[in-house]
Amino acid sequence: MQIGDIVRFLESLAPPSLQEGYDNAGLLTGSPAWECTGILVSLDATEEVILEAKEKGLNMVVAHHPIVFSGLKKINGKTYVERAVIASIKYDISIYAIHTNLDNVIAGVNAKMAERLGLVNCKILQPKTALLRKLFSFVPVSHAEIVRTAIFEAGGGHIGDYSECSFNAPGKGTFKGGEGTTPFVGEPGRRHEEEELKIEAIFPAWLERNIVAAMLKHHPYEEPAYDIVQLSNEWNAVGSGLIGDLPASMTPTDFLQLLKDQFQLSVIRHTVPPAHAIHKVALCGGAGSFLTKTALAAGAQAFVTGDVKYHEFFDAESRLLLADIGHWESEQFTIDLLADHLSGKFPTFAVLKTAVKTNPVEYFR
C-alpha cells in the first residue's frame, strides 16, 4: 500500500476541486510513492499528533484541518505549524488534509453532525452551482449502447438518486474522410450519411477527463464529434451546510439538551430561544455563521454551528435558535467519519484514531 493509494481513495470521497479557494487541502508533506505503514486520523495535524503517529509506527496522518494554511517563509520551529512540519519531515510522516472539500459533500462533515442529532430528510443548505458539465456525443446507432455504458461507468449520468441518466435523439450525421483516413463507415473522399444518436449525459466537472477518455475509447469513429458545456444548475449533492428534520418536534430547551448530550458539551452560546417548537434544523460544521440567513430562508427553527461572533447572533432576527457549540466540538466526529471510510476500504490495514485532543479552547467552569 502506497500513500498515493490512500490519497486517491480520499479524493474519490471528497474531490480536491470542491475545496474553497482559500483552502489548502491535499497532501501537504510526504510522497505519494512512499509505502504506507498505517494511518492516524485526527482533526488537526499538530506536533503532538505527528509524534503519536511515530510512536504507533504509522507514517500517515489524515487530518481535517490543513496544518499549512498559508505560505511558510521560515521553518525554524517558532510556531506550532513549523514544529508540526519539522516533525513530519524528520520522521518521514506524510500529512494529508481533507478540509472544505469534505465540508462540501453531502455525506461529509455535516452529515455526521446530522446523524448525531437523528435528522431525517437531509439536503444541502446552500447548493453550489457551475460544477456540472454535459457531454453531447454523436454515435452511430450500432455503437450507441457501448458508448453510453462507458460514459456511465466513468461516472456520468447521475441525477440525484438516479443513475445511468441520458437523453438520446436520433439524427443523421455527415462526413467526408480526407486522404489517408480509414473511416469506420463510408469511403475516403466521398461524403457519407450515417444514422446516429446524439447522447447527452451530465457529469461532475472534475470527471471530465475520465468521461471524455471513456467515450473516445469506445467510440468507433477515428475523429468522434462531441461537445461539452458548463451548466449553471444548482447541484444538490454539493454545497455548504445541511438542513433536515427532527423525527419529532422538540421544545427549544429539549433541543439544547439534545445538543449538549450528543456533542458532549459543557456550554452552548445561543440566541434567545423562540417561542415555537423546533422540527427543522440547519447545521454547518466549523465556522458557519455566513449561512444564518440562508437557514432562516429555508425555514429552519434552529441553526447549529461554531465560531459565531457577537454581531452575527443578531442575524437570527429572533426567529430561530442560533446555537454556537464550538468549532472543534462541531467537527469532532469527523474523525469517526474518516476512520470508518478508511477502515471500510482497507479492512486489513492499520487505521487508528488519535488519542490527542487538539482543541485549543478550554472552558472555565
Side-chain angles (χ1 to χ4, degrees), residues 41-277:
V41 183
S42 179
L43 207 63
D44 304 280
T46 61
E47 181 184 18
E48 292 79 7
V49 172
I50 302 301
L51 295 177
E52 180 189 14
K54 173 183 175 292
E55 292 169 1
K56 293 178 177 178
L58 314 174
N59 72 339
M60 185 176 191
V61 171
V62 174
H64 182 46
H65 297 137
I67 188 66
V68 179
F69 214 92
S70 55
L72 290 176
K73 294 186 177 181
K74 297 178 182 179
I75 307 178
N76 54 30
K78 290 184 66 175
T79 69
Y80 80 98
V81 174
E82 294 171 10
R83 289 191 292 274
V85 171
I86 288 171
S88 71
I89 294 172
K90 180 178 180 180
Y91 299 117
D92 289 337
I93 295 174
S94 63
I95 301 174
Y96 184 87
I98 181 167
H99 191 212
T100 52
N101 46 330
L102 189 61
D103 291 330
N104 282 330
V105 293
I106 194 168
V109 174
N110 298 312
K112 199 65 178 176
M113 293 178 66
E115 179 185 305
R116 299 291 300 184
L117 295 176
L119 300 186
V120 296
N121 305 320
C122 294
K123 60 182 181 179
I124 294 289
L125 179 59
Q126 183 174 278
K128 288 188 177 294
T129 61
L131 286 174
L132 291 173
R133 305 283 188 272
K134 180 181 278 191
L135 169 70
F136 299 83
S137 181
F138 306 88
V139 188
V141 174
S142 60
H143 283 67
E145 179 58 25
I146 297 172
V147 173
R148 193 165 40 231
T149 299
I151 293 170
F152 295 154
E153 290 178 350
H158 287 270
I159 301 177
D161 293 329
Y162 291 83
S163 61
E164 300 189 12
C165 303
S166 69
F167 183 77
N168 304 267
K172 283 189 176 182
T174 66
F175 51 86
K176 181 169 70 173
E179 185 177 348
T181 61
T182 54
F184 175 69
V185 288
E187 301 176 12
R190 298 184 62 181
R191 186 171 66 191
H192 177 80
E193 287 189 357
E194 181 69 19
E195 296 291 336
E196 295 179 340
L197 282 182
K198 180 177 74 171
I199 300 173
E200 303 179 27
I202 290 175
F203 61 89
W206 61 86
L207 288 180
E208 181 171 329
R209 180 175 295 182
N210 293 344
I211 295 289
V212 172
M215 182 272 297
L216 293 177
K217 180 179 178 181
H218 293 86
H219 202 295
Y221 289 172
E222 279 189 304
E223 298 288 347
Y226 66 94
D227 303 319
I228 293 176
V229 298
Q230 177 175 307
L231 304 180
S232 59
N233 306 46
E234 286 188 344
W235 190 12
N236 292 325
V238 175
S240 302
L242 210 66
I243 188 167
D245 300 318
L246 289 166
S249 296
M250 305 180 72
T251 67
T253 300
D254 287 342
F255 178 72
L256 288 169
Q257 187 62 53
L258 175 67
L259 276 180
K260 188 175 182 180
D261 294 341
Q262 289 299 314
F263 288 86
Q264 302 159 20
L265 307 173
S266 61
V267 62
I268 301 175
R269 300 167 66 231
H270 63 85
T271 54
V272 175
H276 50 73

Side-chain angles (χ1 to χ4, degrees), residues 7 13 22 24 31 35 72 78 107 130 138 186 218 224 228 237 246 263 266 275 288 290 301 318 331 347 356:
V7 168
L13 293 177
Y22 59 81
N24 191 38
S31 168
E35 180 181 350
L72 290 176
K78 290 184 66 175
F138 306 88
H218 293 86
I228 293 176
L246 289 166
F263 288 86
S266 61
F290 68 97
Q301 289 88 39
S318 301
E331 296 180 331
V356 177

